[in-house]
Amino acid sequence: MKKVAFITGILGQDGPYLAKLLLEKDYEVYGLIRRYSNPSFENLDYLGITNQVQYVEGDMTDEGSLMNIIKSIRPQEIYNLAAQSFVGSSWDQAKLTTEINSLGVLYLLNSVKFFCPLTKFYQASTSEMFGLNNDNGYQDENTAFKPRSPYAISKLYAYWMTINFRESYNIFTSNGILFNHESPLRGIQFVTRKITDGVARIKLGLTKELRLGNLDSKRDWGFAGDYVEAMYLMLQSDKPDDYVAATGENHTVREFVEEAFKAAGMTNFNQYVKIDPRYLRPAEVFELKGKADKAKKILGWQPKVGFKELIKMMVDVDLKRLKKT
Ligand code: NAP
Ligand code: G4F
C-alpha cells in the first residue's frame, strides 16, 4: 500500500517541490486547491508532475471543506504549506491573513484530531516569527519570538497551536521554522524573484529599471528544493519536534541585486536600481540568520545550494522564460 500525503499550498513554490519529492518516494499525493475560475498549474508543469497529483477542492478558511477532505482521504502525512505568505500584504489584509494562516491551521488540526489522530502533521512556520530578535547574531529554536507583521503574528498562533495539539492530544505535529528559501518557482512579488525577473528584463532590453524598497535588509536565503527535504525528514523522525532550517549565512538585498546582475553578465547595477517608498514596510525585519544545528544533528539535513548558485539558477531560468515570450 502506498503512503498517502496531503499537501496544502500545492500550487505555490514549496508545494510542487515537496510533491515531486514524495512522488519519487512512491507516495500517493493529494493537493488542496481553492476554487478559481482559472487556477495556474504552472509550477507543477515546470516540474513535470501536474498529472501525478490528485486535486481536492477546499479552502483554508472553510472548516467544513477541510474536514470532508481529511475524512475521505485519511492521509498518513499532512504538510500544511497554504498561507497568505506575502509579508508586505499582511498589513492591508490582516484579517484574511489571520483567517488563512491561523484559523486554517486550527481547522486542519481539529480535522486530524477527529478523523485520523495517528496522522503526522507538518506546519510551515517561519523565521519571520523571530522578527527583531537577533541578540546572538543568529536565531535558532531557543530564540524568543518578537514578530513584526500581521503575517508573523498569524504564524505564531499556528506555531503554538501545532505544539498545543502535540501536548494536549499526543498528535504527531512538527513545526519547521524555515528561513527564506527561493527558486525559479518563487512568486514574482518576493524580492529575490522580483530581482531575477527584473534583471533578465533589463538584460533583454524589455525594461530600464528595477524599483525596490529597503536594500539593507539581510536574509538567510536557501534553495526551496533543499528545504522540502527538511519538511519530509521532520515527519520521518521518531518523535515530533520543532526545527529551524537555514543556511547559516545571510546577505543584504543589495548583495543579491549585485550578484544577479553579475549572473546576467552586467556590472553597473546602480544605474538601474531605483528606491521606491511603496516597497518599504511599516515595520521591517532587518536581519535574519538561522542556525540549523538541531536539524543537521537529529535529522541529518543539510542545505546543498549556495547563495551564488541559487541566484545563477534563478536568473538563467528567467532569461530563458522571457526569451520564449
Ligand atoms: P506560496 O508560494 O505563497 O504558496 C502558498 C500557497 O497557499 C498558494 O498555493 C496558495 O494558493 C495557497 N493558499 C493561500 N490561501 C489559501 C486558502 N485560503 N486556501 C487554500 N490555499 C491557500 O508560499 P511558499 O513560498 O510555497 O511557502 C509555503 C509555506 O511556507 C507558506 O505557509 C509560507 O508562509 C511558509 N514559509 C515560506 C518561506 C519561504 O521562504 N518560502 C519561509 C518560511 C515559511 P493559490 O495558488 O490558490 O493562491
Ligand atoms: O522577499 P520578501 O518579500 O520576503 P520576506 O518578507 O523575508 O518573507 C519571506 O520569507 C519569510 C521567511 O523569513 C516567509 F515566512 C514569508 O512567507 C516569505 O516567504 O522580502 C525580503 C526583504 C524584506 O526585508 C523586504 O523589505 O526584502 C526587502 N525588500 C526590498 N525591496 C523587498 C523589496 N521585498 C519585496 N517583496 N519587494 C521589494 O521591492
Side-chain angles (χ1 to χ4, degrees), residues 8-16 32-34 36 39-40 43 58-62 66 80-86 96 100-101 122-128 151 155 176-182 185-187 190 221 224 227 231:
T8 71
I10 191 77
L11 302 181
Q13 172 188 247
D14 293 1
L32 178 72
I33 50 172
R34 44 182 169 170
Y36 265 126
S40 167
N43 286 352
D59 197 296
M60 292 300 290
T61 60
D62 181 9
L66 298 177
N80 180 37
L81 311 184
Q84 191 304 90
S85 74
F86 188 52
L96 181 67
I100 299 170
N101 299 3
Y122 172 86
Q123 169 56 20
S125 288
T126 166
S127 49
E128 272 290 308
Y151 167 79
K155 284 282 186 175
I177 308 172
L178 270 48
F179 283 63
N180 298 50
H181 44 278
E182 319 294 319
L185 306 188
R186 187 57 142 152
F190 299 91
W221 282 297
Y227 285 56
M231 299 175 190

Side-chain angles (χ1 to χ4, degrees), residues 297-313:
K297 189 165 165 235
I298 298 176
L299 305 175
W301 178 76
Q302 190 74 43
K304 298 179 196 88
V305 177
F307 181 64
K308 290 186 183 178
E309 194 186 341
L310 172 67
I311 295 173
K312 178 94 180 99
M313 179 201 303

Side-chain angles (χ1 to χ4, degrees), residues 85 126-127 151 180 186 189 191 194 213 217 219 281 284:
S85 74
T126 166
S127 49
Y151 167 79
N180 298 50
R186 187 57 142 152
Q189 277 187 310
V191 78
K194 183 175 171 183
S217 294
R219 289 292 182 273
R281 295 179 177 173
E284 178 63 277

Side-chain angles (χ1 to χ4, degrees), residues 257-287:
V257 172
E258 190 174 357
E259 208 50 54
F261 273 99
K262 270 195 213 156
M266 300 165 84
T267 46
N268 46 351
F269 77 93
N270 278 321
Q271 78 182 78
Y272 301 108
V273 175
K274 305 275 178 295
I275 302 304
D276 187 330
R278 281 182 303 166
Y279 300 114
L280 298 173
R281 295 179 177 173
E284 178 63 277
V285 170
F286 298 107
E287 178 161 14

Side-chain angles (χ1 to χ4, degrees), residues 12 26 51 74 143 159 196 232 271 281 303 321:
D26 208 28
N51 297 327
R74 292 179 195 268
T143 305
Y159 168 88
T196 60
Y232 169 73
Q271 78 182 78
R281 295 179 177 173
R321 272 188 186 130

